[in-house]
Amino acid sequence: MKLMPFNFEPLDEESYFISNIAGFSSFVNLKQLESIIDFGQTFNPELDRLLENKLFISAPSSVNTAIASLASALGKRVTIGLEFKPIFMIVPTLRCDHSCKYCQVSRASINASGFDLDKKLIPKIIDTIALLSTPPYKLELQGGEPLLRFDLVELIYQLAEEKLGGDSIEMVIATSLSLVSDEIIDWARSRNVVFSVSLDGNQLVHDKNRIHPSGNAYQLAINGIKKIQSQLGMHRISTVTTVTDELIKNPLSLLDTHKALGLLDLFVRPVSPYGFATTRSSVNYSMQEYMQFYAQLWDGIKQYRAQGLPFVEHSAAIHIKKLFVPGFSSYADLKSPSGVVLNCVLFNYDGHVYGSDESRMLQKVNPQLDFSAGTVGEISFADSDYYKNLTSASFNFLHPGCENCAFLPFCGSDPCQNISMQGEPIGDKSLSTFCEYHKSMFKFLVNKYNTSADDKSLIEDWIHA
Amino acid sequence: MDKISLSKSNYSEWVIRNSLYWLTSVTNWQLSDSDSFWTISLKENNDQVVSQLHRLLNDYKLREIIANKTQRITDSIAVNVLTSIDSRLKSQ
Amino acid sequence: MPEVLRNDLFERAAGESKLSGFYVLRKCQPLIPGFLPQVIVYENSSTVINPETPALINSELFRAIEDGDIANINPNGKIRVILSRRANHNTLLLTERCDNRCQFCSQPPKDGDDSWLLEQAILAICAFNLDGEIGLSGGEPLLYRDDFIRLLDTTIEHAPRTRLHILTNGRAFADLSFTKSVAQRTEHLSMSFGIPLYAANSAVHDKLVGAEGAFNETVKGIINAGNSGINIELRFIPTSENAQELPFVAEYANRVFTNINQISVMNMEPMGWARKNWDELYLHPLEYPLILEYAAKITRQNSTPLYLFNYPLCQLPEHLHELSVQSISDWKNYYPEECSSCSMKSQCGGFFASAKGKFLQSPQRYI
Ligand code: SF4
Ligand code: SF4
Ligand code: SF4
């Protein structure tokens, strides 16, 4: 048998995860790995057949077919990755009634002026969206706190409905829920609107970092969640959890908080290393500690599932889909080429347009440079050196460090993070938090998949989550 | 700083440099070489770091063999990909 | 004659004129000269209007056809309706030659020049001028490369609403320039190609299709065709030799191939060589439900659907019923005695008409 190119990653002393550019993967032990490399086979007929079927080795007479197949698979991945399927983010205001410690975008204080979107720009924004994409259109309202300007939210929806069609828009409002009134609920009832709220844990954990002048950020969020659930339905609200030093110590509290609310979907992630977050005292944990936290959370989820509560943690689900679902590339933050521009277009309150939320953060931290692609009505991503470099620098199979990594076909690249942390878009992977986080998650998941039947079946469930 | 010496006939520059690339997250290091030896100076030199380095070296030696044995194949895959993306874009 | 749902075979009455070849069957006047000679079918002799024109008097045939159906009348007087507006499937045989020798081939290939079949098929397609699908099969229908292209061009010119479904082993598409010339025609004519791949490795595939090198050409062919924008239905027949390969083929299809519209898993039909090799190859579906399930799981994660064809429902675990398509052509399927009291009969495709004796696994009806 002929050896075909592949990558491997050690999981523990004995087991290796192997993958190739087509995205096929499997597990072997060290002896088998060495035998494949030396002889092009393991001498275990069943395993050799599997390795041949997955293009790790090839019959001598089929080498050209294997080459054509690997190439076709890689080409397919790149073409799918290059499809332009953006989420449109709109920032109606940068003002916020909270002042969370790790707030990524920074924010403007509630009474500040000059931080709201000009009404007159909204029709142009909607026109631009119509021009750039096809239905269904995904709109995401970000802040600040979008509900501070509910009038703008209404107007955006109304114009989008008129121009794009009510059935072809889906709107997500990212909010802390402190301001959900009956008026807002009534408005949302007959519209394609869902709410996304940050929920970092129980009251203690949440209020430690999410600061509302009332001192009651948690209670406000909970009240809002219950209100939406009872009046609009369970599926109209989802949560996002940013892991802080407080939560790290008590992973199960997060599950209890969600369980009490009847919420079985979690979206858990470490604090983003952008701009402001890491300079604050709320994150002192290492990635290793994060993964210990995650392992405990995982076990907690498993226990609840055994009791009939099918929790799903969507960060892991995304990694799992990347591993096992060929062609899954709809998650902007974990893809190569990166999701910048291709998967996200952001209209900022000041009329500037960015190719990602992260670009807007970079702008905030580096005001002397221009990270935008112009202003509404006059956008060009192609004319911007920043976006040209970003996209071309985000093909991870060309990155040093990634080219030999077994998670390469499933991983992504985050050029914005690399610029923010390391000053250039490719970055040194050995120092990159992006790499450290995603590699840890992939390793954690494939190791679970390989070592326990229980975990394997959980992982297979989440493929469909 | 403690030093580790490795024979150049056993370890290519590619293997050394790639292994050290990933050692950066564990400790600081410096690399120097003579005619027949690589010398790695490690800022932190404990068992864990050294065994990590050796594991990296072994893994990269295996990767080097794969790369050498499959170089020609990798090249023709690259040519094939470009043709296949081309024809796919044209057919759309 | 098995009791199939729709009969397509008739006898010419003894005294009738010695017509033979392809004919357009007409039920009314006037005859307009076209691609094929025409013959009027009368219900009985009293309805004959014009004794001058070629005619068949056959009430059974009269009731079975629509005006404009196409029949092949052989020299012994057997009339086969080959293209019928009432049928759920219409298929034309383009050649009996093939470069594979599949162990379960239902139409065992023959050698020798039979290019006249393709010529007749071109005329039949144009004369039939259907707004619907016609299947083309073989043998290997792409064997006569340029003639096949001519078939496409003539169809585009004279029967452009026809949708063609071509059953091929795909080896011809390994030739990129041939693939390109087919791909160019897809702009003007709707067509899709059913291509079987029996394993993701050459050893198993080549053994089953009885031809060394077939795997290489078929895989390259599928890659070429898919990347050129040609629609493909990937086919798989589980046998005792290759059932366990199905999940690999499914993953291969999703990672490597493009433009696969669906994966069709087909129960083996006891016809031709499959009859001869039945004992070595046949695997009862209940011996591989896990494989079907796993393959379906792989494809469900992706956008390529997987369907099961030709499976009597009682041979599938219930949760796989939703993947089963009631598919057997209406002139090919039948229901044994036991089925008449089965509650699933209306959703079930039953058995191949050819499944008799040892080829029939006893139906386990649902009461
Ligand atoms: S970023 Fe890290 S985990 Fe991802 S492919 Fe590159 S080296 Fe691997
Ligand atoms: S089943 Fe095989 S041998 Fe028979 S016609 Fe098809 S490809 Fe040829
Ligand atoms: S008994 Fe007959 S009708 Fe019923 S499921 Fe079986 S084959 Fe189908």
Side-chain angles (χ1 to χ4, degrees), chain C residues 312-314 335 338-339 342 344-345 348 350-351 363-366:
Chain C
L313 288 179
C314 53
Y335 299 91
E338 293 90 327
C339 298
C342 173
M344 290 290 201
K345 192 174 171 191
C348 179
F351 287 82
Q364 304 293 322
R365 66 219 147 105
Y366 294 86

Side-chain angles (χ1 to χ4, degrees), chain A residues 28-261:
Chain A
V28 291
N29 62 34
L30 179 57
K31 255 207 4 251
Q32 291 163 338
L33 178 70
E34 286 173 343
S35 175
I36 296 168
I37 294 171
D38 288 343
F39 309 110
Q41 55 194 316
T42 63
F43 303 99
N44 164 344
E46 206 173 314
L47 181 57
D48 284 342
R49 179 52 54 77
L50 177 146
L51 293 170
E52 186 187 357
N53 285 339
K54 295 190 172 199
L55 299 169
F56 289 100
I57 56 178
S58 164
S61 60
S62 290
V63 169
N64 286 328
T65 307
I67 290 173
S69 297
L70 287 168
S72 176
L74 177 56
K76 183 175 179 179
R77 273 206 296 119
V78 173
T79 324
I80 293 175
L82 279 172
E83 278 164 19
F84 181 58
K85 277 189 248 160
I87 291 178
F88 296 98
M89 297 192 180
I90 305 173
V91 181
T93 176
L94 197 62
R95 293 181 299 121
C96 187
D97 57 346
H98 282 63
S99 46
C100 302
K101 287 198 182 155
Y102 49 75
C103 178
Q104 294 188 5
V105 274
S106 150
R107 27 97 50 198
S109 73
I110 189 152
N111 296 318
S113 61
F115 291 98
D116 290 7
L117 181 67
D118 181 351
K119 253 194 176 95
K120 290 200 288 289
L121 289 180
I122 297 178
K124 281 198 206 158
I125 292 178
I126 304 295
D127 287 348
T128 310
I129 294 175
L131 256 167
L132 283 179
S133 192
T134 51
Y137 302 92
K138 295 197 166 148
L139 310 184
E140 194 171 310
L141 301 193
Q142 287 276 356
E145 171 52 64
L147 295 185
L148 273 175
R149 290 300 307 269
F150 178 59
D151 60 321
L152 295 183
V153 174
E154 273 183 298
L155 186 62
I156 292 169
Y157 193 98
Q158 186 201 325
L159 295 182
E161 192 173 24
E162 284 167 18
K163 175 102 193 181
L164 311 171
D167 290 336
S168 28
I169 50 177
E170 293 162 31
M171 181 181 274
V172 179
I173 302 177
T175 164
S176 63
L177 292 183
S178 54
L179 298 169
V180 240
S181 59
D182 290 336
E183 183 200 354
I184 294 176
I185 297 272
D186 276 343
W187 169 82
R189 187 163 287 124
S190 59
R191 293 179 169 79
N192 256 332
V193 170
V194 295
F195 297 86
S196 162
V197 63
S198 298
L199 186 62
D200 289 353
N202 61 22
Q203 179 147 24
L204 218 72
V205 174
H206 190 88
D207 284 346
K208 180 88 192 212
N209 291 291
R210 304 232 169 232
I211 313 294
H212 188 263
S214 67
N216 246 342
Y218 176 79
Q219 205 49 54
L220 289 168
I222 298 294
N223 294 346
I225 293 173
K226 287 187 174 156
K227 193 171 194 155
I228 292 170
Q229 288 179 327
S230 64
Q231 301 196 35
L232 298 177
M234 296 300 282
H235 62 284
R236 293 284 204 108
I237 180 82
S238 63
T239 66
V240 179
T241 301
T242 309
V243 177
T244 56
D245 286 359
E246 284 68 36
L247 185 63
I248 272 266
K249 295 172 226 145
N250 193 0
L252 299 184
S253 67
L254 186 64
L255 297 177
D256 295 335
T257 307
H258 278 81
K259 183 183 152 214
L261 290 163

Side-chain angles (χ1 to χ4, degrees), chain B:
Chain B
M1 285 240 185
D2 269 307
K3 293 183 194 316
I4 295 177
S5 275
L6 300 165
S7 154
K8 280 195 171 175
S9 56
N10 279 335
Y11 298 94
S12 71
E13 176 160 6
W14 188 87
V15 169
I16 298 286
R17 293 227 174 260
N18 274 293
S19 304
L20 290 178
Y21 184 88
W22 291 104
L23 207 64
T24 310
S25 58
V26 183
T27 182
N28 280 336
W29 48 263
Q30 269 179 337
L31 177 67
S32 57
D33 69 322
S34 63
D35 277 354
S36 46
F37 284 97
W38 301 108
T39 309
I40 300 167
S41 328
L42 299 173
K43 188 166 177 198
E44 255 174 87
N45 185 350
N46 53 41
D47 283 358
Q48 213 199 326
V49 173
V50 173
S51 81
Q52 169 103 2
L53 174 61
H54 280 288
R55 172 139 213 188
L56 283 165
L57 288 167
N58 281 340
D59 284 349
Y60 273 101
K61 274 186 83 157
L62 289 175
R63 292 190 176 106
E64 185 176 47
I65 304 174
I66 300 178
N68 287 339
K69 287 197 176 181
T70 58
Q71 187 54 52
R72 197 187 57 79
I73 290 173
T74 310
D75 292 345
S76 39
I77 291 171
V79 175
N80 258 276
V81 174
L82 297 178
T83 344
S84 100
I85 294 181
D86 264 12
S87 74
R88 209 164 320 176
L89 291 177
K90 266 183 229 143
S91 79
Q92 272 167 9

